Amino acid sequence: MTPSVFARLRTSALIACAIVVTGCGVQPSPAATGADAVTRANCGIDITVDAPPQRIYAAYQPSIEIAHALGVTDRLVGTAYLDSTVLPEYEAAQAKSAYVEKLPSRDELLAQNPDFVLSGFNGVFARSAQNSVGTRASLHDLGVRTWVVSPLCPSADGLADEAIDPSTVRFENVYADLRDLGALWAVSERADEVVAELSDRIAAVSATVANAPRPRVAVVTPKDDGSYTAAGGIDFITQIIEAAGGVNAFADLTERRNVQIGAEELIARDPDIILTSACCKATYTRADGQPQVDKIVGNPAFANLTAVRNGVVHPFLFADRAAGVRIAHATELVAELIHPDLFDR
């Protein structure tokens, strides 16, 4: 993590602790005790390991794919909650990994005797949440180190999106996480290789679309109650859309990643292109987003939407909105969808 990013996150965490009378409840990791100890900061918390973790648990798609990308598949004692199929390059590795569809309970997690838990989203370490495995402090007390992908640093209780600093929702923060995890896991060289590949691929896309018009793109999920969820400005898809040569039509909404809207709001914004957001099953591919497309296209209220009239409502995966090693894949895909004339499809 870069010093400036770390400083912002640490300052935010300290301010949050000061404001919340009950405090964060997060205790610093024990001081290094060995000559080989490594410390890196994550969401304002110092994480120290005296030796590379050998029993890693990965919760959620971004963390599972990060672990495979960094080459520590053989150290995974468990993986949980995939939003879709993993990227093809990780299929063989994931097939060898223990997997459960739902997030484990605290007891189920500890039964795997992990020494490091990596979470791809906030909420796992919340004080009170249905899927919480306990606070980071409570796990650290047991010798289990933790990490949350830093574009999603949670609120003081570990739960809410409201604490996410929009300035941290950046590709650079993903790269910083990879390098920090590479240092903690003793795979720094591999981490540098992954970062170089991701940044090169994204730079190539951005160069291709640099002079193209920038359409307004909405990422929308139809709900059973007739409402919709739109990806707001602090959702990582905003970065991906921008790198792919577009603008998130809901970028100004930054309180939460997923914003509840009505049909009227979508009509008023009239996006040029709509992507859906199929989730969450380990077998899902983009094709599984087609029913959401049909729901939007088949709604008479949306008949005059620009995206509907132009036939550019595309199936898309929630997994491709995540802050992880899918960012290059997602940027390439979104660029191809919104600028098909610039890419060979």
Side-chain angles (χ1 to χ4, degrees):
M1 180 175 296
T2 62
S4 60
V5 171
F6 165 62
R8 285 198 301 273
L9 295 176
R10 188 172 182 81
T11 300
S12 297
L14 291 173
I15 291 173
C17 290
I19 292 174
V20 179
V21 175
T22 55
C24 303
V26 176
Q27 303 299 318
S29 301
T33 57
D36 296 328
V38 177
T39 299
R40 290 294 185 274
N42 173 238
C43 296
I45 301 172
D46 286 343
I47 303 299
T48 298
V49 296
D50 288 325
Q54 298 298 314
R55 299 185 60 80
I56 300 168
Y57 199 102
Y60 291 124
Q61 186 113 19
S63 63
I64 294 170
E65 293 185 333
I66 286 173
H68 294 320
L70 293 183
V72 299
T73 303
D74 60 345
R75 295 191 226 167
L76 289 173
V77 296
T79 63
Y81 207 113
L82 284 168
D83 300 318
S84 73
T85 57
V86 296
L87 289 173
E89 54 265 43
Y90 309 132
E91 286 178 352
Q94 183 56 26
K96 296 187 293 186
S97 304
Y99 174 74
V100 292
E101 187 174 354
K102 301 296 183 184
L103 292 174
S105 67
R106 181 179 175 87
D107 289 343
E108 289 169 336
L109 173 74
L110 295 178
Q112 304 305 314
N113 191 27
D115 56 10
F116 198 103
V117 178
L118 172 63
S119 178
F121 289 98
N122 54 26
V124 171
F125 306 119
R127 288 184 182 280
S128 59
Q130 184 177 0
N131 295 320
S132 175
V133 295
T135 65
R136 300 182 71 177
S138 71
L139 291 170
H140 294 178
D141 288 344
L142 298 175
V144 182
R145 298 296 175 256
T146 62
W147 197 274
V148 181
V149 292
S150 58
L152 295 174
C153 283
S155 57
D157 68 356
L159 180 59
D161 284 349
E162 285 84 346
I164 295 174
D165 180 351
S167 69
T168 67
V169 185
R170 294 288 184 274
F171 291 134
E172 287 73 17
N173 248 3
V174 175
Y175 303 150
D177 276 344
L178 290 169
R179 291 192 178 101
D180 287 341
L181 290 169
L184 292 168
W185 295 351
V187 290
S188 290
E189 185 174 342
R190 176 57 187 158
D192 289 340
E193 292 172 354
V194 173
V195 170
E197 179 195 351
L198 296 177
S199 58
D200 287 349
R201 289 170 62 186
I202 292 171
V205 171
S206 295
T208 301
V209 302
N211 298 317
R214 302 183 70 81
R216 292 172 304 108
V217 182
V219 180
V220 176
T221 308
K223 311 297 286 186
D224 291 339
D225 63 1
S227 66
Y228 299 82
T229 298
I234 60 172
D235 190 273
F236 210 83
I237 193 63
T238 302
Q239 295 300 296
I240 292 168
I241 291 172
E242 290 180 359
V247 176
N248 184 352
F250 290 90
D252 58 308
L253 304 180
T254 58
E255 185 175 346
R256 300 187 63 82
R257 289 184 297 117
N258 299 299
V259 183
Q260 299 301 313
I261 63 169
E264 298 81 4
E265 181 71 16
L266 186 58
I267 293 170
R269 301 250 177 177
D270 191 22
D272 299 309
I273 296 167
I274 296 175
L275 307 180
T276 62
S277 186
C279 187
C280 306
K281 197 169 184 179
T283 58
Y284 273 3
T285 66
R286 279 190 61 218
D288 291 293
Q290 188 59 42
Q292 293 182 339
V293 171
D294 296 340
K295 209 166 190 176
I296 293 171
V297 173
N299 187 337
F302 296 151
N304 289 322
L305 282 180
T306 298
V308 173
R309 286 191 286 104
N310 292 337
V312 286
V313 181
H314 300 292
F316 195 69
L317 289 169
F318 177 82
D320 287 329
R321 297 166 46 182
V325 290
R326 297 178 77 95
I327 54 177
H329 159 80
T331 301
E332 292 165 347
L333 174 59
V334 172
E336 291 171 0
L337 291 174
I338 69 178
H339 294 294
D341 53 318
L342 298 179
F343 296 88
D344 294 328
R345 299 187 62 188

